[in-house]
Amino acid sequence: MDHDASLITTIALGLSVAFAAGFLVRRIGLPPIVGYLLAGIILGPFTPGLIADTEIATELAEIGVILLMFGVGIHFSFRDLLSVRRVAVPGAVGQSVIATLLGVGLAVSLGWGLAAGVVLGFSLSVASTVVLLRALTQRGALETVHGRVAVGWLIVEDVFTVLVLVLLPSFAVIVTAGGELTIGLLAPVGIAVAKAVALGVLMVVVGARVVPWVLLQVARDGSRELFTLSVLAVAIGIAFASSAVFGVSLALGAFLAGAVVGETDLSHKAANDALPLRDAFSVLFFVSVGMLIDPAYLLANPVAILAVVVLVVVGKSLAAIAIVSALGYPLRTGLTVGAGLAQIGEFSFILATAGVAAGVLPAEAHQLVVAGALISITLNPLVFASIDPVEAWVKRRPWLRRFAERGAGALAAPTTADRELRGHAILCGYGRIGRTVARALESRGFAYLVVEQDRGVIERLRAAGTHALYGDVSDEAMLDLAGVRTARVLVFAAYDPAAAEFATDYARQVNPRIDIVARVETPEEGRRLMAHGATQVVEGEREVAVQVARYTLRRLGVSGPEVEAIAQGLRRRPDPAVA
């Protein structure tokens, strides 16, 4: 390869082969990340044929890491985290500890030692946010309580990963010294932590004021390319300055830069403008990871690879399900979180690479992590597809079901007042929609009962004297406790298509005269739920469009009755985008 043309050659080969491999694996239902890793193996020095420049690919991958962490920082939301903090924070910490202990056991059995086991365990404990979000979106579960818990769980893991990256160099110094803690060794650790804290304070105090002001001035100028350039300059510039001045990782600087931008009203525009470059360099990051895979090593060590896959797919999932159950959340929440964590991805690569560079992990550890990612990501769609069969299997075994949902306790038991309800409304979900419906019912004195999967909400409702049960409506026993046989209306205010379909079938079976109204997101979901027996479905975007159309027609002088007739026609008419 001509050295002078190695940069353009590496980019051209990396993107072209990654596109071809990603397209092919996407056609068979696998995440494109699998294709990108395979592209790296094809272009790597361990396979014959095309060979890209590994050193240049690694440099390009650093930009990918910066933009990945910048994107994580932009989407980091304390509000989202606080909404599921009761399960996400203790759950993520507990699962990370368990995965780390399993990683230590694996590393010790391979003869790598305790320190390598700790870093390996951390690498295997964190799942890929990209893979999780794609899986939840495909199943229509991203906006459900189960999906929110899983996403909040990964937010905590991402923050935990950033902390590990900060402390890893100091940990490596201690390991190199034989694990003996002396003043001479503790001083660098203290200095590293102090620098990281100083950087954080500087970003909160100064960066939170300067960066938004700069972006606002550029946005007012109206130049899209300048705004995109300013976003990239903030991401890469702050990451580089953080590393050069404060001695922290590029990843931490990029994360803090993203977190600062994420708190501004320009965050969505910044994320959208940086998205194309982030995606391109992220692809090169995955390709560079694949280039480090030696197929000969993988073929020679199938037992070690199988152990990593079992740890990730089985060990982490069971740990997550057990923790979610112990914290008192429904079985489906545990299964969703467990399936989401049954894979590893970009942050595992970053941690493993940092561990090898620091001299804590042996080079073959990186091979195992990448192989584990490749296999676990490939298997993840099958793991998600097993949620419904596993849930049904558990619910058919009362003793196992009681064990899985033992944390619900008294919150799942109806009070005397709950049992006396007749002719009432059952509100499934108590978010913004559920609260609004509840206020409407209260204004006319109608009785209602809330079924919710957030323990904190149930505790507050019961303390206020509201009829409320904690549990999952995709459960016949829970619907019976809520009085579905004597209720007049069943309202699905929370978005959970699978649960709504099951509950509609059962409610229609035991109470044919009950009215059922449900929130849906797409026309297809609405038609499917109506086929199951719903009386009325409300599609969010369509209803907003109808109300906007009503207002517009009235402003143009159309009479009230004619406006209402047109509105009803719009509700019945198929969406032009899908017709």
Side-chain angles (χ1 to χ4, degrees):
M1 182 184 298
D2 183 3
H3 180 71
D4 294 334
S6 58
L7 174 60
I8 187 64
T9 304
T10 301
I11 294 176
L13 287 176
L15 294 180
S16 300
V17 178
F19 162 71
F23 179 77
L24 289 175
V25 301
R26 185 72 179 86
R27 293 299 295 269
I28 61 176
L30 296 177
I33 292 176
V34 175
Y36 306 153
L37 293 173
L38 291 175
I41 296 175
I42 294 171
L43 296 174
F46 302 105
T47 55
L50 297 172
I51 298 179
D53 191 311
T54 305
E55 292 185 3
I56 291 180
T58 303
E59 291 288 336
L60 294 172
E62 289 284 1
I63 301 178
V65 171
I66 291 173
L67 295 179
L68 273 172
M69 294 299 291
F70 181 71
V72 171
I74 284 181
H75 293 104
F76 176 76
S77 171
F78 279 107
R79 184 179 304 170
D80 292 343
L81 182 58
L82 288 174
S83 67
V84 293
R85 65 188 182 280
R86 293 172 178 265
V87 60
V89 175
V93 173
Q95 182 265 328
S96 297
V97 171
I98 293 174
T100 301
L101 293 176
L102 294 174
V104 169
L106 176 59
V108 171
S109 67
L110 294 173
W112 294 350
L114 179 62
V118 172
V119 179
L120 177 65
F122 279 134
S123 301
L124 299 180
S125 68
V126 58
S128 168
T129 307
V130 175
V131 174
L132 174 71
L133 291 177
R134 182 176 180 275
L136 292 175
T137 302
Q138 284 184 333
R139 292 178 59 85
L142 185 59
E143 297 300 324
T144 66
V145 64
H146 322 297
R148 291 198 301 271
V149 169
V151 172
W153 194 297
L154 255 69
I155 289 175
V156 178
E157 282 194 352
D158 291 345
V159 174
F160 202 45
T161 302
V162 172
L163 295 177
V164 173
L165 287 170
V166 171
L167 298 175
L168 186 56
S170 300
F171 179 68
V173 172
I174 296 174
V175 171
T176 304
E180 295 182 4
L181 295 178
T182 63
I183 298 299
L185 291 178
L186 289 177
V189 176
I191 293 174
V193 173
K195 286 183 176 180
V197 171
L199 174 62
V201 172
L202 182 65
M203 290 299 297
V204 170
V205 175
V206 179
R209 292 177 172 82
V210 174
V211 172
W213 182 84
V214 171
L215 293 180
L216 181 60
Q217 302 309 309
V218 177
R220 287 174 175 172
D221 185 69
S223 172
R224 180 174 180 178
E225 60 269 25
L226 273 180
F227 186 82
T228 302
L229 182 60
S230 68
V231 172
L232 294 175
V234 167
I236 299 176
I238 291 179
F240 174 77
S242 301
S243 177
V245 177
F246 291 90
V248 300
S249 66
L250 293 169
L252 175 61
F255 174 80
L256 292 175
V260 168
V261 174
E263 293 301 318
T264 71
D265 55 2
L266 296 171
S267 59
H268 293 292
K269 179 174 174 55
N272 290 334
D273 283 10
L275 188 63
L277 275 176
R278 187 196 71 181
D279 288 346
F281 280 101
S282 298
V283 168
L284 292 175
F285 165 71
F286 291 118
V287 170
S288 71
V289 170
M291 291 173 67
L292 299 177
I293 297 179
D294 182 0
Y297 175 84
L298 303 184
L299 292 174
N301 297 272
V303 176
I305 294 172
L306 179 62
V308 169
V309 173
V310 171
L311 190 159
V312 172
V313 177
V314 179
K316 287 173 58 181
S317 296
L318 293 178
I321 293 171
I323 292 172
V324 171
S325 174
L327 292 172
Y329 279 73
L331 175 61
R332 175 168 284 267
T333 301
L335 292 174
T336 302
V337 174
L341 295 176
Q343 43 84 16
I344 54 176
E346 57 271 15
F347 289 116
S348 302
F349 305 149
I350 295 172
L351 280 171
T353 302
V356 173
V360 180
L361 278 178
E364 55 264 32
H366 192 276
Q367 302 280 339
L368 292 181
V369 170
V370 177
L374 190 61
I375 297 173
S376 64
I377 291 174
T378 302
L379 294 176
N380 200 242
L382 298 177
V383 177
F384 263 98
S386 69
I387 290 178
D388 291 338
V390 170
E391 183 181 30
W393 183 83
V394 171
K395 287 184 175 180
R396 287 195 299 268
R397 289 156 177 79
W399 66 271
L400 189 57
R401 177 176 161 186
R402 286 194 298 270
F403 176 79
E405 299 182 345
R406 64 191 183 280
L411 293 179
T415 64
T416 302
D418 295 336
R419 295 190 187 96
E420 295 173 352
L421 286 175
R422 298 183 66 86
H424 59 294
I426 300 175
L427 300 184
C428 302
Y430 199 72
R432 181 180 299 175
I433 296 174
R435 291 193 297 270
T436 302
V437 175
R439 286 197 295 270
L441 295 173
E442 290 169 357
S443 68
R444 293 298 303 274
F446 292 115
Y448 66 91
L449 180 144
V450 175
V451 180
E452 172 61 60
Q453 299 185 65
D454 188 318
R455 290 177 62 91
V457 170
I458 294 298
E459 291 168 358
R460 290 192 294 272
L461 286 173
R462 286 196 167 186
T466 301
H467 304 289
L469 295 176
Y470 171 74
D472 187 354
V473 293
S474 62
D475 184 344
E476 296 176 359
M478 179 56 62
L479 290 169
D480 285 335
L481 289 175
V484 69
R485 297 172 187 270
T486 59
R488 290 181 60 185
V489 185
L490 179 60
V491 181
F492 295 104
Y495 178 65
D496 193 340
E501 289 178 12
F502 176 90
T504 297
D505 286 337
Y506 183 72
R508 188 61 68 199
Q509 174 187 339
V510 300
N511 185 357
R513 302 184 61 175
I514 193 171
D515 285 313
I516 302 173
V517 58
R519 164 196 175 186
V520 297
E521 295 292 331
T522 66
E524 291 79 10
E525 289 175 359
R527 287 191 288 268
R528 191 163 58 244
L529 199 55
M530 291 292 286
H532 279 266
T535 311
Q536 179 69 43
V537 295
V538 179
E539 182 190 339
E541 288 189 3
R542 182 186 292 271
E543 192 60 31
V544 170
V546 168
Q547 295 302 324
V548 172
R550 288 177 71 254
Y551 179 85
T552 304
L553 291 172
R554 289 302 302 270
R555 293 301 96 190
L556 292 174
V558 180
S559 66
E562 186 177 356
V563 166
E564 292 306 317
I566 294 174
Q568 291 302 320
L570 291 174
R571 290 188 178 99
R572 292 190 297 267
R573 188 178 305 167
D575 189 342
V578 297

